[in-house]
Amino acid sequence: MTEKHEMVHDPIATLRQMQALADTLCLSDDPLIAGQGRHLHGRITGFLSLLGDDVADLLGVTGNGETR
Amino acid sequence: MSTMLSAYEALSRPDLEAIQSRRVRALLTRAYRDSSFYRTKIDEAGVSPERIADLAAFRERVPFSTKAELLADQDRHPPFGSRLCVDRRDVALINLTGGTSGQGQETYGRTQADVQTLGYLHALAWYRAGLRPDHTVLNCVPTGGMTTGGWGPSEGIRIIGATGLTPPAALSTEAKIDLMLRFRPLHFIYASTNYLHRMTEVMGQLGIVPREAFPDLVGVFIAAEGYPLEWARRIQDLWGCTLHEGYGSTQCVGFAAGTGPQGAIGPDGGRGVMELFEWMTLCEVIDPESGQAVAPGEEGELVVTNLTIEASPVIRFRTGDRVRFVPAADRASALNAIECGGIGRYDDMMKIRGNNVWPDAVDAAVLAFAEVDEYVGRVFTADDGKTDVEIRVALKAAAAACSEAERGRIAGALRDAVKERTNVAMRVVFADRAELPEYTYKARRWSDERQKGYRL
């Protein structure tokens, strides 16, 4: 429950971690893994934008595990 | 409740405009850097992105863009135009507009992030209308193809975590109703205005009362075509749930506005409003002649700017859509809105069975026949509830006197030519020249009588 609470509390920070992990998949020598890594990376970028990571300070979320 | 959504919905108007302002500045900086199309436009306007400090400066100094400009840019720099803001290799999906204007098809590249946004901009409107995870939703809008509207619904349904029931467009309405009954409980329906009408009519013919057959429905959601208020009330009564409406387009990458919990009928029993998703799409309503913002309550042309789109953002794009502006201040809300049920066009474009049809395109097809003297067209709702299109053609005297077989051949050729130009099948009937109007100025050949047929 604690873990779930933290994810909901700061989805931007969670997505940034996921994006870093997707980045490692992009570096794979296997093109099918690298392609899916790029897909994941792009989807996460979109999700971050929808959550407002570019305006987090104005929206009231920091992306650092805190809310304003 | 969505904390993600409520963060935006809880904003004050000044906070919302601060978000728009920052996103506009970031968009202009990026477009100026990465797109020679926008760099040229901005340079020619004598502005630089760093001098656009706020929304007022954006509206005052950044020029509009038009369909004709985008098409000309594509002609010079095929296939995406020089407005593409990302590396060609980052385009994951290609969307085209319908191409039925006769002017050409706008091309839009979508990155993976844009595809996520495209899905979200469908999911957002439906979530606000009551669609939730674990619901089953019937999507009656044709899926796939090259259009944004063909891709968005399936993405949106998956983003919400609902189950999509997306029958092929070619399936009969009766067969679709069978599927609806088979996969009950059904919670939500997305359809064009006309198709919801058609489905309601067929259910009546089959002796099915929608609110009894589908008691779990939380909403029916329509888009694309206007409707009379009485019809909206009757639909809510027959289906036993709230009627919702969205406004969207390829340029908006999905819906730019949608009804909230209240739905398409307002609290006073009049037309409701669609709130604009202004943190995603900057919307202006302008006088098409002066280019200045209209006053509250007035009609004007909707102008849109994508605030977060990566590959092919539009900046101050003139949609040609006529909307009635309902400002935030009139509604005790942070979000501006547009009125439900009456979206129109400033040109003569008609939305017919999901296709954008410009009379000019039909003119080009029909009047290309040497045998044709004049024609008129009408779109109407037939007795069976389907949209029907009829063109009445007057032949020149020599052709009018020809054999029945020859007239049949001409009618068939006309039908084929119109279908090829517009993607819409139209019935061709012949009339005497005296039965058709004489045009002394601009020909007004078309009438749209569909709303008269929306009687349930």
Side-chain angles (χ1 to χ4, degrees):
Chain A
M1 279 304 289
T2 304
E3 283 176 8
K4 182 177 178 184
H5 173 75
E6 284 173 358
M7 270 183 63
V8 172
H9 187 65
D10 193 351
I12 290 178
T14 303
L15 283 170
R16 284 180 181 155
Q17 291 170 25
M18 289 171 65
Q19 195 170 44
L21 292 170
D23 284 346
T24 64
L25 295 175
C26 295
L27 298 173
S28 171
D29 290 334
D30 183 330
L32 268 179
I33 293 175
Q36 291 179 80
R38 283 178 64 185
H39 177 220
L40 268 178
H41 178 98
R43 290 299 185 122
I44 294 167
T45 301
F47 197 172
L48 277 166
S49 170
L50 296 169
L51 282 169
D53 69 328
D54 57 329
V55 290
D57 55 326
L58 299 173
L59 200 53
V61 291
T62 65
N64 294 318
E66 299 167 6
T67 53
R68 188 171 65 178
Chain B
M1 171 173 160
S2 165
T3 52
M4 175 177 173
L5 187 53
S6 61
Y8 287 108
E9 291 187 330
L11 290 169
S12 66
R13 187 74 201 171
D15 284 345
L16 175 62
E17 290 184 356
I19 286 174
Q20 289 180 312
S21 182
R22 182 182 294 177
R23 285 184 163 170
V24 157
R25 291 198 305 274
L27 169 68
L28 288 176
T29 301
R30 192 163 56 83
Y32 190 84
R33 183 190 64 213
D34 298 333
S35 154
S36 62
F37 172 79
Y38 284 120
R39 187 161 53 249
T40 302
K41 270 184 81 74
I42 290 169
D43 283 344
E44 284 177 355
V47 295
S48 57
E50 59 269 24
R51 286 171 59 194
I52 305 298
D54 54 28
L55 295 176
F58 174 70
R59 291 178 180 125
E60 189 179 325
R61 310 205 60 183
V62 174
F64 294 120
S65 50
T66 65
K67 180 183 184 74
E69 281 180 299
L70 304 192
L71 293 174
D73 175 47
Q74 285 169 204
D75 283 346
R76 287 191 298 270
H77 305 279
F80 292 98
S82 62
R83 74 183 197 280
L84 188 71
C85 292
V86 299
D87 190 294
R88 169 70 181 78
R89 289 169 297 185
D90 290 328
V91 173
L93 177 71
I94 298 169
N95 284 159
L96 301 178
T97 53
T100 48
S101 66
Q103 299 171 53
Q105 293 173 286
E106 293 158 49
T107 305
Y108 291 85
R110 309 290 191 207
T111 64
Q112 296 283 7
D114 290 339
V115 177
Q116 183 73 16
T117 302
L118 186 160
Y120 182 75
L121 285 177
H122 286 77
L124 174 61
W126 297 335
Y127 182 88
R128 296 176 81 249
L131 182 61
R132 293 291 181 271
D134 306 326
H135 280 173
T136 298
V137 52
L138 175 74
N139 169 28
C140 290
V141 171
T143 300
M146 300 295 290
T147 66
T148 297
W151 282 95
S154 297
E155 290 279 349
I157 291 165
R158 277 193 284 270
I159 279 177
I160 284 187
T163 303
L165 185 60
T166 302
L171 207 62
S172 71
T173 301
E174 288 81 355
K176 283 181 184 137
I177 291 169
D178 278 347
L179 276 173
M180 292 164 70
L181 293 167
R182 195 167 135 201
F183 287 96
R184 284 181 289 186
L186 185 70
H187 303 93
F188 201 81
I189 295 173
Y190 173 47
S192 69
T193 309
N194 179 258
Y195 198 73
L196 178 63
H197 180 79
R198 165 79 182 146
M199 232 176 359
T200 308
E201 290 246 326
V202 173
M203 284 202 186
Q205 290 158 13
L206 295 172
I208 297 171
V209 179
R211 66 173 176 273
E212 291 172 5
F214 305 102
D216 301 289
L217 276 173
V218 298
V220 289
F221 192 105
I222 56 173
E225 295 154 339
Y227 51 87
L229 190 54
E230 271 310 312
W231 178 86
R233 293 190 185 115
R234 186 75 180 125
I235 284 286
Q236 291 203 152
D237 181 44
L238 285 168
W239 288 87
C241 64
T242 306
L243 176 69
H244 288 277
E245 183 180 356
Y247 168 84
S249 67
T250 292
Q251 293 84 8
C252 294
V253 202
F255 289 114
T259 47
Q262 174 71 40
I265 299 176
D268 61 352
R271 290 201 185 274
V273 298
M274 292 179 268
E275 291 182 311
L276 295 160
F277 308 147
E278 294 181 274
W279 62 95
M280 300 297 297
T281 307
L282 182 70
C283 297
E284 304 168 64
V285 184
I286 63 160
D287 179 325
E289 299 295 326
S290 70
Q292 299 300 307
V294 300
E298 286 188 354
E299 285 192 335
E301 181 180 358
L302 189 65
V303 174
V304 296
T305 299
N306 308 131
L307 293 177
T308 68
I309 292 301
E310 292 185 335
S312 299
V314 293
I315 299 178
R316 300 201 82 201
F317 180 81
R318 294 187 64 152
T319 63
D321 288 329
R322 189 182 65 242
V323 302
R324 186 175 301 285
F325 177 53
V326 184
D330 285 7
R331 307 174 41 254
S333 164
L335 298 174
N336 288 329
I338 54 178
E339 190 177 77
C340 288
I343 306 282
R345 291 285 300 174
Y346 276 104
D347 57 21
D348 296 326
M349 189 196 87
M350 298 171 288
K351 201 91 176 171
I352 303 176
R353 301 185 197 121
N355 296 284
N356 297 337
V357 178
W358 277 265
D360 284 355
V362 186
D363 289 357
V366 174
L367 301 176
F369 282 72
E371 300 93 335
V372 171
D373 189 349
E374 188 51 89
Y375 87 98
V376 293
R378 74 180 183 114
V379 193
F380 60 102
T381 305
D383 291 343
D384 63 1
K386 287 182 180 172
T387 291
D388 207 344
V389 190
E390 178 187 83
I391 52 176
R392 299 177 69 214
V393 178
L395 297 175
K396 289 174 181 162
C402 68
S403 69
E404 202 59 36
E406 179 59 10
R407 285 160 63 94
R409 184 199 67 75
I410 295 170
L414 280 166
R415 268 194 302 275
D416 291 346
V418 169
K419 177 75 164 67
E420 189 179 331
R421 284 264 188 175
T422 66
N423 199 36
V424 173
M426 301 184 189
R427 288 191 295 117
V428 174
V429 297
F430 290 116
D432 290 337
R433 180 65 187 90
E435 293 174 25
L436 305 189
E438 296 280 349
Y439 300 109
T440 54
Y441 180 48
K442 188 177 179 186
R444 304 291 301 179
R445 295 191 174 93
W446 282 86
S447 60
D448 188 341
E449 302 163 11
R450 280 176 287 190
Q451 291 208 18
K452 287 185 207 163
Y454 285 167
R455 291 193 196 92
L456 292 167

